[in-house]
Amino acid sequence: MKNRRSALILAGTAAALAATLIAAAPAPAAPATPAAQAAPKPASVHGGGTIFFPYSAKDDIRFTVDAVSTPWTRPFPGAEKGLPTDARGRVTISHYFTESGFTATAEAEVDCLVTGGRTASLTAVVKTSNVGWDGKRIGISVQDGQHGEPDRVGFSWAVVNVDVKPDGTVAEGTVGTCMAPAPFTEVTKGGYKVTPAPLAPQPKS
């Protein structure tokens, strides 16, 4: 009888302990809601490289690009909320002319960026230069090479963007936001990383 009573006491104690442990266990985590999921990365271009430009084959031409998309952050008359392609960042250009020994330089502030797959087009307004480009908007395209392909760069001066006027005179055309030619040169040193992203949805009123 004593042994039976002891067994009942032990059984009751074990049941109470089990109940305590179950009550203290953390509740299962609730499934993540869409709002709790990580936001997609913004479009961006980062890197630097030396290009081969066939019309200046002996020169050293380099581009450094650090640009990230910041949609709807640059309002202007007619687009009070800005544009989905608004961006920020910096572009640095260096062109060493072998024959003269002169190095042309420019630093520009990024104002627009759009991506499509591993290709990006961006524009930037020159803030400082030693060739009289201050205030000029320039366009640059970047292709992030994959599977052994080289990276590529295009730019809106030298061989593109010529404006032929009705009288036959020729001038360099203006560059609108995000306007850049196809990436027509190959990168020989360095490289770029393009992070693509779809255009951002319109902000709520």
Side-chain angles (χ1 to χ4, degrees):
M1 186 70 176
K2 182 178 181 181
N3 290 340
R4 183 178 178 184
R5 185 181 299 110
S6 298
L8 290 173
I9 292 173
L10 289 174
T13 302
L17 179 60
T20 301
L21 291 175
I22 291 172
T33 62
Q37 295 174 355
K41 291 183 178 180
S44 64
V45 182
H46 298 290
T50 301
I51 66 165
F52 174 74
F53 186 46
Y55 306 113
S56 300
K58 296 180 180 180
D59 296 352
D60 186 303
I61 306 173
R62 305 181 184 188
F63 292 87
T64 300
V65 179
D66 286 297
V68 62
S69 176
T70 56
W72 315 107
T73 59
R74 293 177 176 270
F76 59 90
E80 284 70 19
K81 295 180 180 179
L83 297 171
T85 52
D86 288 342
R88 60 176 173 79
R90 184 171 293 274
V91 172
T92 302
I93 305 166
S94 172
H95 183 160
Y96 172 74
F97 294 86
T98 301
E99 291 187 0
S100 65
F102 174 73
T103 300
T105 61
E107 290 191 3
E109 181 181 298
V110 174
D111 62 359
C112 191
L113 170 66
V114 64
T115 59
R118 51 196 175 92
T119 300
S121 293
L122 60 102
T123 49
V125 177
V126 176
K127 296 302 180 181
T128 61
S129 75
N130 62 354
V131 290
W133 279 14
D134 300 49
K136 176 180 179 179
R137 177 181 283 111
I138 56 176
I140 296 174
S141 60
V142 176
Q143 186 176 79
D144 186 349
Q146 297 181 356
H147 309 299
E149 299 176 355
D151 289 358
R152 304 182 68 87
V153 171
F155 44 93
S156 63
W157 60 96
V159 295
V160 298
N161 198 32
V162 175
D163 185 8
V164 180
K165 298 183 178 181
D167 62 1
T169 58
V170 177
E172 182 179 357
T174 58
V175 175
T177 55
C178 274
M179 296 293 100
F184 54 84
T185 67
E186 289 189 4
V187 175
T188 58
K189 294 180 182 178
Y192 303 87
K193 173 63 176 177
V194 174
T195 300
L199 293 175
Q202 290 186 340
K204 296 182 180 179
S205 301

